[in-house]
């Protein structure tokens, strides 16, 4: 007789009533003396293996009885529907061949503290919750490429080692670059502007580094950012791309990650609200009014911290754009508002359910002299920005762009309470291992 086909758990629906072989690990087990329930995972999904004592050889029964958590093995059996489980299928086991033993796995089915789990992140990744989050992360990455490709963008990769500080000089990771000073990139934007002048619509997607000393639930020192930049485009059209993009990400998760949403207990009905565009827009001035009306001590000119953003985003059923921030709290490259001297043509997108800023973007200053002055006013060395000024010297055009923090977006879509769960191996002020 031929060997049963080797399948992945995720493909079980196509193999009902067939005998198959699966390479799996044990996550948990329960036994009643006559029947053993093995909780299995193979990296594609989780489901149950049922071992009936009377239906298998004594040696298979004993192997099943002795399996420890996270032991790996080949399991052979017939796939059945199982309407009571999240996944909907199970395997009736006929044979087990152990591949790797596992003794004393540290993450047991009981509750563990978050620091313990993060110390064991290399193993914790195997559990249901990280599994679901990483699948949703993967879908958002896939959807990002699909969206920007279908909108006519090309991907361009800015350098990760730079000599400039687009977003302010306080949060840079310094590196020693052959006896010169260099920094890990805190944003690829300036390079993406060069890209837009060369290729019209470009986007980057890569790691970004910020020496954030704050220990908030919204800050990592290494995070992934998507930075689109568009030539011949004003801020208003950029906002339309942003809302279409965010709605597309949410729709992608709804279309491809129902199982993962179930594992996370995330109600898809709530996410459906976010697939409808346009998103509401308020000005920074209006935001200040709302905050003051709610007894915050925020004054015009203040930047928003987490409590302010949480309050504002809680007031809307959908993501909300906050437009036209004061110049004093935003970076030098933004374009001045046409009729107001004190604000920029910029917007942050705040995610609902209290999640706060997930996107920051603006139209860019196109005037050589104004931009040069802003660089000087920001206390930066004009010589280091000469190449950037060149972009305003040779065929300068209106252009706009934005940056989406991937982990911020995942945290919101998965309804997590901290960014550290949205990335496989989080880097924070007090965490560099594993
Ligand atoms: O608002 P930011 O600083 O904007 C820029 O870097 C622009 N150059 C983007 C552009 O216009 N091309 O950062 C953009 C986004 C934020 O909205 C947030 O989602 C995320 O990056 N972000 C962080 N995510 C995790 N940890 C941190 N420390 C983050 N800092 C920013
Ligand atoms: Mg920002």
């Amino acid at each position: 007789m031929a060997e049963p086909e080797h399948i992945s758990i995720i493909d079980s629906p196509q193999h009902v009533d067939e005998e198959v072989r699966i390479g799996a690990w044990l996550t948990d087990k329960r036994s009643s003396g006559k029947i053993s329930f093995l909780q299995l995972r193979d990296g594609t999904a989780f489901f149950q293996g049922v071992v009936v004592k009377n239906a298998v050889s004594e040696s298979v029964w004993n192997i099943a009885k002795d399996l420890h958590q996270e032991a790996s093995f080949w399991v052979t059996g017939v796939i059945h529907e199982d309407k009571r489980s999240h996944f909907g299928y199970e395997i009736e086991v006929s044979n087990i061949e152990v591949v790797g033993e596992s003794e004393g796995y540290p993450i047991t089915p009981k509750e563990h503290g978050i620091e313990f789990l993060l110390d064991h992140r290399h193993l914790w990744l195997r559990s249901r919750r990280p599994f679901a989050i990483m699948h949703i992360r993967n879908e958002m990455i896939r959807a990002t490429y699909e969206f920007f490709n279908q909108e006519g963008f090309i991907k361009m990769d800015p350098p990760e080692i730079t000599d400039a500080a687009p977003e302010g000089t306080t949060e840079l990771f310094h590196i020693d670059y052959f006896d010169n000073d260099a920094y890990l990139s805190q944003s690829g934007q300036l390079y993406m502007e060069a890209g837009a002048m060369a290729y019209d619509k470009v986007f980057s997607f890569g790691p970004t580094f910020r020496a954030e000393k704050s220990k908030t639930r919204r800050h990592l020192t290494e995070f992934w950012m998507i930075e689109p930049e568009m030539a011949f485009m004003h801020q208003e059209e950029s906002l339309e791309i942003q809302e279409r993009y965010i709605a597309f990400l949410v729709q992608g998760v709804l279309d491809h990650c129902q199982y993962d949403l179930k594992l996370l207990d995330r109600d898809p009905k709530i996410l459906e609200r976010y697939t409808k565009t346009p998103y509401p827009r308020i000005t920074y001035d209006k935001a200040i009014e709302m905050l003051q009306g709610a007894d915050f001590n925020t004054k015009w000119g203040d930047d928003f911290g987490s409590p302010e953003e949480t309050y504002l985003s809680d007031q809307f059923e959908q993501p909300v754009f906050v437009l036209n921030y004061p110049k004093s709290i935003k970076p030098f490259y933004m374009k001045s508002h046409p009729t107001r001297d004190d604000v920029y043509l910029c917007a942050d997108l705040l995610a609902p359910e209290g999640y706060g800023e997930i996107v920051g973007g603006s139209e860019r200053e196109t005037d050589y002299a104004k931009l040069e002055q802003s660089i000087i006013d920001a206390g930066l060395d004009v010589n280091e920005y000469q190449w950037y000024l060149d972009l305003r010297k040779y065929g300068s055009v209106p252009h706009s762009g934005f940056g989406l923090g991937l982990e911020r977006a995942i945290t919101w879509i998965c309804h997590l309470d901290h960014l550290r769960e949205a990335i496989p191996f989080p880097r924070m002020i007090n965490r560099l291992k594993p």
Side-chain angles (χ1 to χ4, degrees):
M1 215 179 81
E3 276 251 303
E5 187 181 349
H6 173 199
I7 69 158
S8 296
I9 295 178
I10 196 75
D11 296 326
S12 299
Q14 287 96 62
H15 296 274
V16 175
D17 295 334
E18 286 174 28
E19 182 169 68
V20 298
R21 208 165 117 86
I22 295 173
W25 289 263
L26 185 80
T27 66
D28 197 5
K29 82 180 167 192
R30 232 163 10 92
S31 191
S32 75
K34 286 204 171 87
I35 184 160
S36 250
F37 298 99
L38 308 178
Q39 301 308 320
L40 306 175
R41 62 169 195 91
D42 74 342
T44 70
F46 297 81
F47 80 164
Q48 169 168 280
V50 183
V51 192
V52 180
K53 190 172 183 187
N54 289 336
V56 296
S57 70
E58 198 180 329
S59 82
V60 169
W61 176 255
N62 287 333
I63 291 171
K65 216 174 61 193
D66 291 341
L67 284 177
H68 290 130
Q69 192 186 351
E70 287 305 318
S72 55
F73 44 88
W74 286 104
V75 58
T76 306
V78 176
I79 303 289
H80 296 299
E81 274 194 62
D82 171 24
K83 293 234 160 63
R84 292 150 307 171
S85 72
H86 272 336
F87 182 63
Y89 298 86
E90 64 180 18
I91 184 167
E92 187 188 335
V93 177
S94 57
N95 195 24
I96 299 171
E97 304 149 67
V98 173
V99 176
E101 304 279 2
S102 169
E103 212 51 80
Y105 188 69
I107 303 175
T108 58
K110 66 162 201 192
E111 289 271 316
H112 293 284
I114 183 72
E115 291 304 323
F116 177 88
L117 290 170
L118 285 169
D119 286 341
H120 295 85
R121 185 62 164 169
H122 53 297
L123 302 174
W124 184 28
L125 285 175
R126 304 176 183 196
S127 301
R128 281 174 174 74
R129 188 176 158 85
F131 169 98
I133 297 167
M134 291 310 138
H135 273 78
I136 289 173
R137 180 183 171 105
N138 176 63
E139 166 56 26
M140 290 167 67
I141 294 169
R142 190 204 63 73
T144 292
Y145 281 87
E146 184 183 337
F147 178 82
F148 287 108
N149 279 306
Q150 88 189 12
E151 296 261 339
F153 285 65
I154 75 160
K155 181 160 188 268
M156 196 187 95
D157 305 313
E160 292 293 345
I161 300 174
T162 68
D163 68 347
E167 301 299 320
T169 49
T170 53
E171 292 168 354
L172 289 169
F173 278 111
H174 178 262
I175 53 173
D176 185 9
Y177 193 72
F178 309 110
D179 300 329
N180 285 315
D181 287 330
Y183 309 97
L184 296 178
S185 174
Q186 57 174 191
S187 161
Q189 182 195 316
L190 306 191
Y191 300 96
M192 299 313 287
E193 289 185 50
M197 298 305 135
Y199 312 120
D200 182 32
K201 290 198 289 260
V202 291
F203 76 106
S204 68
F205 174 48
T208 307
F209 306 91
R210 296 197 187 173
E212 301 271 6
K213 297 222 171 60
S214 45
K215 287 189 200 165
T216 81
R217 47 184 74 223
R218 294 182 184 170
H219 290 96
L220 297 166
T221 54
E222 178 182 292
F223 64 97
W224 287 65
M225 184 151 57
I226 292 110
E227 291 189 277
E229 193 73 30
M230 299 78 74
F232 286 101
M233 193 176 284
H234 293 290
Q235 173 69 354
E236 184 52 38
E237 293 163 87
S238 171
L239 295 184
E240 287 165 17
I241 291 183
Q242 293 173 44
E243 60 198 1
R244 275 213 304 286
Y245 170 42
I246 302 298
F248 190 85
L249 289 181
V250 175
Q251 190 62 54
V253 169
L254 285 168
D255 289 347
H256 301 114
C257 303
Q258 287 293 330
Y259 174 57
D260 307 295
L261 293 173
K262 253 188 252 166
L263 289 178
L264 292 173
D265 234 343
R266 177 63 157 148
D267 184 356
K269 285 262 163 358
I270 296 175
L271 291 176
E272 274 160 24
R273 293 210 295 259
Y274 312 144
T275 61
K276 300 190 180 51
T277 57
Y279 294 156
R281 289 143 165 75
I282 58 168
T283 59
Y284 172 88
D285 296 358
K286 170 78 183 165
I288 290 288
E289 237 175 67
M290 289 171 67
L291 289 166
Q292 289 175 347
D295 286 340
F296 280 83
N297 284 326
T298 325
K299 298 180 306 302
W300 198 95
D302 289 349
D303 204 357
F304 300 147
S306 289
E308 288 83 7
E309 286 185 356
T310 299
Y311 175 79
L312 290 170
S313 60
D314 259 340
Q315 308 313 306
F316 295 88
E317 292 264 292
Q318 278 177 298
V320 55
F321 287 110
V322 180
L323 314 179
N324 308 337
Y325 284 79
K327 289 185 174 174
S328 54
I329 55 171
K330 289 291 179 191
F332 68 87
Y333 51 71
M334 293 184 173
K335 187 173 177 67
S336 282
H337 191 278
T339 60
R340 277 182 63 178
D341 223 20
D342 52 348
V343 298
Y344 280 131
L345 273 181
C346 65
D348 281 1
L349 181 65
L350 310 186
E353 302 176 76
Y355 278 94
E357 179 193 342
I358 54 171
V359 178
S362 75
E363 189 159 334
R364 319 306 190 187
E365 185 53 73
T366 46
D367 181 80
Y368 190 102
K370 279 192 194 158
L371 184 60
E372 187 176 44
Q373 193 55 50
S374 303
I375 293 170
I376 294 166
D377 292 347
L380 301 167
D381 179 354
V382 183
N383 293 322
E384 283 173 16
Y385 292 85
Q386 202 53 55
W387 70 265
Y388 183 62
L389 283 164
D390 270 359
L391 304 175
R392 277 69 180 171
K393 194 165 155 190
Y394 305 110
S396 188
V397 299
H399 62 292
S400 304
F402 61 95
L404 169 79
L406 180 67
E407 289 77 17
R408 293 260 183 105
I410 294 168
T411 302
W412 158 55
I413 288 176
C414 293
H415 201 71
L416 312 178
D417 54 39
H418 198 300
L419 247 64
R420 62 194 163 201
E421 283 191 80
I423 189 163
F425 293 96
R427 295 290 173 252
M428 293 172 287
I429 183 166
N430 55 357
R431 181 161 296 280
L432 191 54
K433 282 190 183 79

